[in-house]
């Protein structure tokens, strides 16, 4: 077992990148490496550097594990920050081939559009220009979707794909909006934005703090995915997926491809 001081972020990032590119799950890094949270964010940065080196562009960040339902689902109990790139955004109403993914799940979220680089304590309405319903597809690169907190941070918080609905002006309150996840016209999950750290504005504050400590530098015009309002649901090909956030609207996509 290595110590966190002698792990090589680039080496571990390559393992995770290869797993994603080939759709092949890998054992947890924590099985063989003493990766702590700080080291795990360094692996995540190295992973994103590989991807931006191939031409992907950062378009925002995402919070993970911001609800009790999500924490209970994976047995990890701390909010975490991941990064979003342009090639992983699926057009609202579009379709996406999921056959290259390992064991994808989908969850309904709320997204914020950053109006300026946010700083700690900045009022929400100064930091955020608009809100939107969103869907996130997560796909752990670890075998059996099983991981420790540092493992999932290194794996860019299981981020795989996301869809943003129509941006809307900030409503009077974002803290208790009803959320639905529908698959093929059937509601499979119901929740509230209150499930997101009690108020999704807290997710923004937590994300600003995590980005300040571990990067990246948040930018005006970036998307901020605040986290899921329900547990995630396995995603299959040939399905129509829709998230509804009451008073804001919907985000949807259709899946194609063979069984992941
Ligand atoms: O977006 C999320 O909440 C996912 C965080 C990582 C845990 C998971 O893969 O479910
Ligand atoms: Mg999520």
């Amino acid at each position: 077992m290595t110590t966190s001081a002698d792990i090589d972020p680039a080496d571990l990032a390559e393992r995770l990148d290869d797993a994603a590119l080939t759709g092949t799950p890998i054992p947890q890094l924590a099985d063989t490496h003493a990766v702590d949270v700080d080291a795990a964010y360094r692996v995540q940065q190295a992973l994103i550097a590989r991807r931006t080196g191939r031409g992907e562009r950062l378009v925002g960040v995402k919070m993970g594990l911001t609800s009790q339902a999500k924490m209970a689902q994976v047995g990890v109990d701390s909010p975490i920050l991941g990064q979003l790139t342009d090639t992983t955004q699926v057009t609202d109403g579009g379709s996406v081939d999921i056959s290259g993914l390992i064991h994808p799940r989908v969850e309904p979220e709320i997204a914020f559009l950053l109006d300026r680089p946010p700083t700690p304590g900045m009022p929400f309405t100064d930091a955020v220009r608009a809100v939107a319903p969103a869907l996130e597809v997560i796909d752990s690169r670890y075998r059996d979707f099983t991981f420790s907190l540092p493992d999932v941070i290194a794996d860019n918080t299981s981020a795989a794909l996301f869809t943003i609905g129509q941006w809307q002006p900030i409503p009077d309150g974002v803290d208790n909006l009803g959320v639905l996840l529908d698959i093929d016209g059937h509601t499979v999950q119901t929740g509230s934005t209150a499930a997101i750290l009690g108020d999704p504005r807290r997710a923004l504050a937590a994300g600003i703090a995590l980005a300040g400590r571990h990067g990246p530098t948040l930018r005006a015009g970036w998307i901020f995915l605040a986290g899921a309002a329900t547990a995630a649901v396995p995603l299959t090909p040939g399905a129509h997926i829709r998230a509804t956030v009451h008073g804001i609207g919907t985000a949807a996509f259709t899946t194609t491809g063979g069984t992941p």
Side-chain angles (χ1 to χ4, degrees):
M1 174 86 72
T2 61
T3 69
S4 68
D6 27 70
I7 67 146
D8 177 357
D11 171 53
L12 299 185
E14 184 176 1
R15 295 185 199 193
L16 286 160
D17 198 27
D18 287 348
L21 289 171
T22 62
T24 311
I26 58 172
Q28 296 177 55
L29 305 180
D31 287 352
T32 47
H33 293 72
V35 185
D36 63 14
V37 164
D38 286 342
Y41 277 107
R42 288 199 293 278
V43 176
Q44 183 191 119
Q45 292 294 4
L47 175 63
I48 297 300
R50 288 178 66 87
R51 291 171 46 183
T52 53
R54 288 199 294 268
E56 293 183 47
R57 188 171 52 86
L58 271 183
V59 294
V61 290
K62 59 156 282 191
M63 291 298 289
L65 302 178
T66 48
S67 73
Q68 292 299 331
K70 289 299 311 283
M71 293 182 198
Q73 188 170 32
V74 295
V76 175
D77 64 358
S78 176
I80 52 180
L81 186 74
Q83 303 181 57
L84 304 172
T85 69
D86 57 344
T87 60
T88 63
Q89 183 163 5
V90 179
T91 308
D92 184 28
S95 65
V96 62
D97 183 344
I98 60 165
S99 55
L101 300 179
I102 300 169
H103 33 208
R105 298 174 178 175
V106 64
E107 54 193 25
E109 306 218 0
I110 185 166
F112 304 141
L113 182 61
L114 298 183
D115 194 45
R116 65 195 71 195
T119 50
M122 182 182 276
F124 180 76
T125 47
D126 287 354
V128 169
R129 189 186 307 166
V131 304
L135 285 161
E136 189 188 18
V137 177
I138 51 174
D139 187 31
S140 175
R141 269 53 69 167
Y142 299 112
R143 235 177 252 155
D144 304 324
F145 229 112
T146 303
F147 40 71
S148 66
L149 177 63
D151 280 320
V152 68
I153 291 168
D155 187 24
N156 195 28
T157 68
S158 306
L161 302 166
F162 68 99
T163 294
I164 306 291
Q166 291 284 311
W167 291 111
Q168 304 291 337
I170 301 170
D172 283 344
V174 293
D175 54 325
N176 193 12
L177 303 173
V179 177
L180 300 178
L181 177 65
D182 291 346
I183 300 186
D184 294 332
H186 302 289
T187 299
V188 295
Q189 290 283 330
T190 59
S192 160
T193 54
I196 304 167
L197 293 182
D199 180 334
R201 289 174 294 191
R202 289 204 189 110
L204 179 62
I208 292 168
L210 285 168
R213 183 177 170 108
H214 303 288
T217 302
L218 304 179
R219 300 191 186 285
W222 271 18
I223 295 161
F224 185 95
L225 268 188
T230 72
V233 172
L235 193 57
T236 52
H240 181 69
I241 314 295
R242 186 178 65 180
T244 304
V245 180
H246 187 75
I248 296 185
T250 61
F253 63 77
T254 301
T255 56
T256 64
T259 306

